[in-house]
PDB file of all heavy atoms in Angstrom:
ATOM      1  N   VAL K  23     104.849 128.083 113.368  1.00  0.00           N
ATOM      2  CA  VAL K  23     103.396 128.130 113.432  1.00  0.00           C
ATOM      3  C   VAL K  23     102.893 126.790 113.946  1.00  0.00           C
ATOM      4  O   VAL K  23     103.303 125.732 113.465  1.00  0.00           O
ATOM      5  CB  VAL K  23     102.772 128.424 112.059  1.00  0.00           C
ATOM      6  CG1 VAL K  23     101.249 128.390 112.153  1.00  0.00           C
ATOM      7  CG2 VAL K  23     103.241 129.777 111.544  1.00  0.00           C
ATOM      8  N   GLN K  24     102.014 126.846 114.918  1.00  0.00           N
ATOM      9  CA  GLN K  24     101.392 125.637 115.432  1.00  0.00           C
ATOM     10  C   GLN K  24      99.948 125.598 114.959  1.00  0.00           C
ATOM     11  O   GLN K  24      99.244 126.607 115.003  1.00  0.00           O
ATOM     12  CB  GLN K  24     101.446 125.597 116.957  1.00  0.00           C
ATOM     13  CG  GLN K  24     102.843 125.442 117.534  1.00  0.00           C
ATOM     14  CD  GLN K  24     103.618 126.744 117.511  1.00  0.00           C
ATOM     15  OE1 GLN K  24     103.112 127.790 117.910  1.00  0.00           O
ATOM     16  NE2 GLN K  24     104.863 126.682 117.052  1.00  0.00           N
ATOM     17  N   LEU K  25      99.514 124.432 114.515  1.00  0.00           N
ATOM     18  CA  LEU K  25      98.172 124.260 113.984  1.00  0.00           C
ATOM     19  C   LEU K  25      97.461 123.135 114.714  1.00  0.00           C
ATOM     20  O   LEU K  25      98.032 122.066 114.913  1.00  0.00           O
ATOM     21  CB  LEU K  25      98.225 123.937 112.490  1.00  0.00           C
ATOM     22  CG  LEU K  25      98.994 124.920 111.603  1.00  0.00           C
ATOM     23  CD1 LEU K  25      99.130 124.358 110.200  1.00  0.00           C
ATOM     24  CD2 LEU K  25      98.280 126.266 111.561  1.00  0.00           C
ATOM     25  N   VAL K  26      96.228 123.385 115.090  1.00  0.00           N
ATOM     26  CA  VAL K  26      95.425 122.382 115.776  1.00  0.00           C
ATOM     27  C   VAL K  26      94.075 122.258 115.096  1.00  0.00           C
ATOM     28  O   VAL K  26      93.314 123.226 115.040  1.00  0.00           O
ATOM     29  CB  VAL K  26      95.232 122.726 117.264  1.00  0.00           C
ATOM     30  CG1 VAL K  26      94.370 121.668 117.947  1.00  0.00           C
ATOM     31  CG2 VAL K  26      96.579 122.837 117.964  1.00  0.00           C
ATOM     32  N   GLU K  27      93.780 121.067 114.595  1.00  0.00           N
ATOM     33  CA  GLU K  27      92.510 120.811 113.936  1.00  0.00           C
ATOM     34  C   GLU K  27      91.488 120.280 114.927  1.00  0.00           C
ATOM     35  O   GLU K  27      91.833 119.650 115.922  1.00  0.00           O
ATOM     36  CB  GLU K  27      92.667 119.790 112.802  1.00  0.00           C
ATOM     37  CG  GLU K  27      93.707 120.149 111.761  1.00  0.00           C
ATOM     38  CD  GLU K  27      95.033 119.472 112.003  1.00  0.00           C
ATOM     39  OE1 GLU K  27      95.366 119.198 113.183  1.00  0.00           O
ATOM     40  OE2 GLU K  27      95.750 119.199 111.020  1.00  0.00           O
ATOM     41  N   SER K  28      90.233 120.508 114.610  1.00  0.00           N
ATOM     42  CA  SER K  28      89.143 119.965 115.402  1.00  0.00           C
ATOM     43  C   SER K  28      87.905 119.876 114.519  1.00  0.00           C
ATOM     44  O   SER K  28      87.856 120.450 113.440  1.00  0.00           O
ATOM     45  CB  SER K  28      88.860 120.836 116.631  1.00  0.00           C
ATOM     46  OG  SER K  28      88.458 122.139 116.258  1.00  0.00           O
ATOM     47  N   GLY K  29      86.909 119.149 114.989  1.00  0.00           N
ATOM     48  CA  GLY K  29      85.647 119.062 114.283  1.00  0.00           C
ATOM     49  C   GLY K  29      85.405 117.773 113.529  1.00  0.00           C
ATOM     50  O   GLY K  29      84.327 117.579 112.959  1.00  0.00           O
ATOM     51  N   GLY K  30      86.388 116.891 113.508  1.00  0.00           N
ATOM     52  CA  GLY K  30      86.206 115.626 112.824  1.00  0.00           C
ATOM     53  C   GLY K  30      85.245 114.726 113.571  1.00  0.00           C
ATOM     54  O   GLY K  30      84.870 114.992 114.712  1.00  0.00           O
ATOM     55  N   GLY K  31      84.846 113.657 112.910  1.00  0.00           N
ATOM     56  CA  GLY K  31      83.921 112.722 113.521  1.00  0.00           C
ATOM     57  C   GLY K  31      83.336 111.786 112.493  1.00  0.00           C
ATOM     58  O   GLY K  31      83.819 111.701 111.368  1.00  0.00           O
ATOM     59  N   SER K  32      82.300 111.084 112.890  1.00  0.00           N
ATOM     60  CA  SER K  32      81.612 110.145 112.007  1.00  0.00           C
ATOM     61  C   SER K  32      80.266 110.707 111.587  1.00  0.00           C
ATOM     62  O   SER K  32      79.538 111.277 112.401  1.00  0.00           O
ATOM     63  CB  SER K  32      81.413 108.804 112.708  1.00  0.00           C
ATOM     64  OG  SER K  32      82.651 108.204 113.034  1.00  0.00           O
ATOM     65  N   VAL K  33      79.957 110.535 110.317  1.00  0.00           N
ATOM     66  CA  VAL K  33      78.706 111.051 109.781  1.00  0.00           C
ATOM     67  C   VAL K  33      78.227 110.135 108.662  1.00  0.00           C
ATOM     68  O   VAL K  33      79.028 109.452 108.024  1.00  0.00           O
ATOM     69  CB  VAL K  33      78.900 112.500 109.262  1.00  0.00           C
ATOM     70  CG1 VAL K  33      79.855 112.516 108.077  1.00  0.00           C
ATOM     71  CG2 VAL K  33      77.573 113.136 108.911  1.00  0.00           C
ATOM     72  N   GLN K  34      76.941 110.110 108.434  1.00  0.00           N
ATOM     73  CA  GLN K  34      76.381 109.317 107.351  1.00  0.00           C
ATOM     74  C   GLN K  34      76.538 110.041 106.023  1.00  0.00           C
ATOM     75  O   GLN K  34      76.646 111.267 105.984  1.00  0.00           O
ATOM     76  CB  GLN K  34      74.897 109.033 107.595  1.00  0.00           C
ATOM     77  CG  GLN K  34      74.607 108.146 108.782  1.00  0.00           C
ATOM     78  CD  GLN K  34      73.137 107.816 108.902  1.00  0.00           C
ATOM     79  OE1 GLN K  34      72.694 106.751 108.472  1.00  0.00           O
ATOM     80  NE2 GLN K  34      72.380 108.736 109.476  1.00  0.00           N
ATOM     81  N   ALA K  35      76.560 109.274 104.952  1.00  0.00           N
ATOM     82  CA  ALA K  35      76.651 109.858 103.622  1.00  0.00           C
ATOM     83  C   ALA K  35      75.551 110.894 103.426  1.00  0.00           C
ATOM     84  O   ALA K  35      74.398 110.671 103.796  1.00  0.00           O
ATOM     85  CB  ALA K  35      76.545 108.773 102.561  1.00  0.00           C
ATOM     86  N   GLY K  36      75.926 112.020 102.853  1.00  0.00           N
ATOM     87  CA  GLY K  36      74.983 113.101 102.651  1.00  0.00           C
ATOM     88  C   GLY K  36      74.990 114.119 103.772  1.00  0.00           C
ATOM     89  O   GLY K  36      74.411 115.203 103.638  1.00  0.00           O
ATOM     90  N   GLY K  37      75.654 113.791 104.851  1.00  0.00           N
ATOM     91  CA  GLY K  37      75.714 114.678 105.997  1.00  0.00           C
ATOM     92  C   GLY K  37      76.779 115.742 105.864  1.00  0.00           C
ATOM     93  O   GLY K  37      77.451 115.854 104.840  1.00  0.00           O
ATOM     94  N   SER K  38      76.945 116.514 106.932  1.00  0.00           N
ATOM     95  CA  SER K  38      77.886 117.627 106.925  1.00  0.00           C
ATOM     96  C   SER K  38      78.755 117.645 108.167  1.00  0.00           C
ATOM     97  O   SER K  38      78.363 117.150 109.231  1.00  0.00           O
ATOM     98  CB  SER K  38      77.139 118.961 106.845  1.00  0.00           C
ATOM     99  OG  SER K  38      76.362 119.061 105.672  1.00  0.00           O
ATOM    100  N   LEU K  39      79.933 118.218 108.018  1.00  0.00           N
ATOM    101  CA  LEU K  39      80.849 118.445 109.123  1.00  0.00           C
ATOM    102  C   LEU K  39      81.568 119.754 108.876  1.00  0.00           C
ATOM    103  O   LEU K  39      81.754 120.152 107.725  1.00  0.00           O
ATOM    104  CB  LEU K  39      81.882 117.324 109.244  1.00  0.00           C
ATOM    105  CG  LEU K  39      81.457 115.997 109.860  1.00  0.00           C
ATOM    106  CD1 LEU K  39      82.598 114.989 109.732  1.00  0.00           C
ATOM    107  CD2 LEU K  39      81.073 116.168 111.319  1.00  0.00           C
ATOM    108  N   ARG K  40      81.975 120.397 109.950  1.00  0.00           N
ATOM    109  CA  ARG K  40      82.756 121.619 109.845  1.00  0.00           C
ATOM    110  C   ARG K  40      84.049 121.448 110.617  1.00  0.00           C
ATOM    111  O   ARG K  40      84.033 121.273 111.834  1.00  0.00           O
ATOM    112  CB  ARG K  40      81.983 122.814 110.392  1.00  0.00           C
ATOM    113  CG  ARG K  40      82.646 124.156 110.087  1.00  0.00           C
ATOM    114  CD  ARG K  40      82.036 125.261 110.921  1.00  0.00           C
ATOM    115  NE  ARG K  40      82.397 126.585 110.434  1.00  0.00           N
ATOM    116  CZ  ARG K  40      82.333 127.693 111.174  1.00  0.00           C
ATOM    117  NH1 ARG K  40      81.909 127.636 112.428  1.00  0.00           N
ATOM    118  NH2 ARG K  40      82.678 128.861 110.638  1.00  0.00           N
ATOM    119  N   LEU K  41      85.161 121.503 109.913  1.00  0.00           N
ATOM    120  CA  LEU K  41      86.463 121.385 110.526  1.00  0.00           C
ATOM    121  C   LEU K  41      87.025 122.769 110.832  1.00  0.00           C
ATOM    122  O   LEU K  41      86.792 123.718 110.087  1.00  0.00           O
ATOM    123  CB  LEU K  41      87.438 120.645 109.612  1.00  0.00           C
ATOM    124  CG  LEU K  41      87.002 119.270 109.093  1.00  0.00           C
ATOM    125  CD1 LEU K  41      88.132 118.651 108.275  1.00  0.00           C
ATOM    126  CD2 LEU K  41      86.593 118.357 110.240  1.00  0.00           C
ATOM    127  N   SER K  42      87.766 122.853 111.918  1.00  0.00           N
ATOM    128  CA  SER K  42      88.397 124.105 112.302  1.00  0.00           C
ATOM    129  C   SER K  42      89.894 123.897 112.451  1.00  0.00           C
ATOM    130  O   SER K  42      90.342 122.831 112.853  1.00  0.00           O
ATOM    131  CB  SER K  42      87.830 124.619 113.624  1.00  0.00           C
ATOM    132  OG  SER K  42      86.452 124.895 113.526  1.00  0.00           O
ATOM    133  N   CYS K  43      90.654 124.923 112.134  1.00  0.00           N
ATOM    134  CA  CYS K  43      92.102 124.898 112.287  1.00  0.00           C
ATOM    135  C   CYS K  43      92.525 126.186 112.964  1.00  0.00           C
ATOM    136  O   CYS K  43      92.420 127.266 112.379  1.00  0.00           O
ATOM    137  CB  CYS K  43      92.786 124.762 110.928  1.00  0.00           C
ATOM    138  SG  CYS K  43      94.588 124.900 110.988  1.00  0.00           S
ATOM    139  N   ALA K  44      92.993 126.057 114.190  1.00  0.00           N
ATOM    140  CA  ALA K  44      93.440 127.211 114.951  1.00  0.00           C
ATOM    141  C   ALA K  44      94.953 127.338 114.865  1.00  0.00           C
ATOM    142  O   ALA K  44      95.674 126.388 115.179  1.00  0.00           O
ATOM    143  CB  ALA K  44      93.005 127.082 116.411  1.00  0.00           C
ATOM    144  N   ALA K  45      95.426 128.490 114.440  1.00  0.00           N
ATOM    145  CA  ALA K  45      96.857 128.737 114.299  1.00  0.00           C
ATOM    146  C   ALA K  45      97.374 129.605 115.434  1.00  0.00           C
ATOM    147  O   ALA K  45      96.692 130.525 115.885  1.00  0.00           O
ATOM    148  CB  ALA K  45      97.147 129.409 112.962  1.00  0.00           C
ATOM    149  N   SER K  46      98.571 129.301 115.879  1.00  0.00           N
ATOM    150  CA  SER K  46      99.205 130.089 116.924  1.00  0.00           C
ATOM    151  C   SER K  46     100.702 130.177 116.644  1.00  0.00           C
ATOM    152  O   SER K  46     101.210 129.536 115.729  1.00  0.00           O
ATOM    153  CB  SER K  46      98.956 129.481 118.303  1.00  0.00           C
ATOM    154  OG  SER K  46      99.483 128.164 118.387  1.00  0.00           O
ATOM    155  N   GLY K  47     101.404 130.977 117.421  1.00  0.00           N
ATOM    156  CA  GLY K  47     102.821 131.167 117.206  1.00  0.00           C
ATOM    157  C   GLY K  47     103.069 132.362 116.305  1.00  0.00           C
ATOM    158  O   GLY K  47     102.417 133.389 116.432  1.00  0.00           O
ATOM    159  N   ASP K  48     104.004 132.209 115.368  1.00  0.00           N
ATOM    160  CA  ASP K  48     104.337 133.280 114.437  1.00  0.00           C
ATOM    161  C   ASP K  48     103.363 133.281 113.266  1.00  0.00           C
ATOM    162  O   ASP K  48     103.727 133.013 112.122  1.00  0.00           O
ATOM    163  CB  ASP K  48     105.773 133.132 113.945  1.00  0.00           C
ATOM    164  CG  ASP K  48     106.780 133.200 115.072  1.00  0.00           C
ATOM    165  OD1 ASP K  48     106.536 133.929 116.048  1.00  0.00           O
ATOM    166  OD2 ASP K  48     107.829 132.525 114.977  1.00  0.00           O
ATOM    167  N   THR K  49     102.133 133.608 113.565  1.00  0.00           N
ATOM    168  CA  THR K  49     101.067 133.518 112.567  1.00  0.00           C
ATOM    169  C   THR K  49     101.222 134.509 111.420  1.00  0.00           C
ATOM    170  O   THR K  49     100.600 134.330 110.375  1.00  0.00           O
ATOM    171  CB  THR K  49      99.695 133.705 113.226  1.00  0.00           C
ATOM    172  OG1 THR K  49      99.649 134.974 113.891  1.00  0.00           O
ATOM    173  CG2 THR K  49      99.434 132.603 114.240  1.00  0.00           C
ATOM    174  N   TYR K  50     102.032 135.515 111.594  1.00  0.00           N
ATOM    175  CA  TYR K  50     102.211 136.523 110.561  1.00  0.00           C
ATOM    176  C   TYR K  50     102.973 136.010 109.348  1.00  0.00           C
ATOM    177  O   TYR K  50     102.997 136.662 108.308  1.00  0.00           O
ATOM    178  CB  TYR K  50     102.920 137.758 111.128  1.00  0.00           C
ATOM    179  CG  TYR K  50     104.216 137.451 111.827  1.00  0.00           C
ATOM    180  CD1 TYR K  50     105.405 137.367 111.120  1.00  0.00           C
ATOM    181  CD2 TYR K  50     104.245 137.238 113.201  1.00  0.00           C
ATOM    182  CE1 TYR K  50     106.598 137.072 111.758  1.00  0.00           C
ATOM    183  CE2 TYR K  50     105.431 136.946 113.853  1.00  0.00           C
ATOM    184  CZ  TYR K  50     106.608 136.863 113.122  1.00  0.00           C
ATOM    185  OH  TYR K  50     107.785 136.576 113.760  1.00  0.00           O
ATOM    186  N   ILE K  51     103.598 134.855 109.448  1.00  0.00           N
ATOM    187  CA  ILE K  51     104.376 134.317 108.334  1.00  0.00           C
ATOM    188  C   ILE K  51     103.576 133.361 107.449  1.00  0.00           C
ATOM    189  O   ILE K  51     104.111 132.819 106.491  1.00  0.00           O
ATOM    190  CB  ILE K  51     105.652 133.591 108.813  1.00  0.00           C
ATOM    191  CG1 ILE K  51     105.307 132.372 109.664  1.00  0.00           C
ATOM    192  CG2 ILE K  51     106.540 134.556 109.581  1.00  0.00           C
ATOM    193  CD1 ILE K  51     106.512 131.516 110.015  1.00  0.00           C
ATOM    194  N   LYS K  52     102.317 133.148 107.745  1.00  0.00           N
ATOM    195  CA  LYS K  52     101.509 132.278 106.922  1.00  0.00           C
ATOM    196  C   LYS K  52     100.726 133.092 105.903  1.00  0.00           C
ATOM    197  O   LYS K  52      99.980 134.001 106.255  1.00  0.00           O
ATOM    198  CB  LYS K  52     100.571 131.411 107.771  1.00  0.00           C
ATOM    199  CG  LYS K  52      99.616 132.167 108.675  1.00  0.00           C
ATOM    200  CD  LYS K  52      98.706 131.210 109.417  1.00  0.00           C
ATOM    201  CE  LYS K  52      97.711 131.949 110.296  1.00  0.00           C
ATOM    202  NZ  LYS K  52      96.789 132.785 109.496  1.00  0.00           N
TER     203      LYS K  52
END
């Protein structure tokens, strides 16, 4: 299984972020 994260960054306290993780490969084993 290959995993790729995205969505990180810099934010001020109290703020929000949304991270994503896209899976590929033999995804049926997770």
Side-chain angles (χ1 to χ4, degrees):
V23 177
Q24 292 78 47
L25 305 172
V26 179
E27 305 97 330
S28 62
S32 298
V33 65
Q34 294 185 98
S38 300
L39 283 174
R40 190 194 194 200
L41 306 183
S42 298
C43 174
S46 60
D48 299 327
T49 58
Y50 54 86
I51 63 173
K52 58 178 182 64

